[in-house]
Amino acid sequence: TDQNGRAIAGATVTFYIQTTGALATIYSNEALTTAITGSVVTTDSDGMFAGYYISDDDYPLNTSFKLVIAKANYDGKTETWVR
């Protein structure tokens, strides 16, 4: 959300592993066969992001991720998300 609490359409969300800072491997399909280049998804017109999958084999439950949210003319934001 922006500084006024509104969802941000067209922002990029990049997934990192919290403990190492390395890009997390995320997938565009449920079969986990197509990795998303750069571990980046883009928010839709409602500011929501979906269409990504995370492998239980790669990251067990309770893995912490750092999500970096960015968009031109926006201050940006970093969030922690625990799977």
Side-chain angles (χ1 to χ4, degrees):
T1 59
D2 66 13
Q3 62 273 16
N4 297 313
R6 294 183 300 243
I8 303 167
T12 60
V13 181
T14 306
F15 288 70
Y16 295 91
I17 302 165
Q18 183 73 29
T19 56
T20 66
L23 284 172
T25 302
I26 60 175
Y27 299 90
S28 63
N29 62 336
E30 198 169 354
L32 307 173
T33 57
T34 307
I36 296 174
T37 303
S39 301
V40 177
V41 295
T42 303
T43 60
D44 63 17
S45 61
D46 293 322
M48 305 299 289
F49 61 97
Y52 70 93
Y53 299 88
I54 295 176
S55 169
D56 291 338
D57 292 334
D58 292 341
Y59 309 109
L61 292 179
N62 298 315
T63 298
S64 293
F65 295 91
K66 178 174 75 170
L67 307 181
V68 176
I69 305 159
K71 183 177 178 178
N73 301 316
Y74 169 67
D75 289 338
K77 191 174 192 179
T78 300
E79 297 282 341
T80 299
W81 173 62
V82 179
R83 174 164 193 259

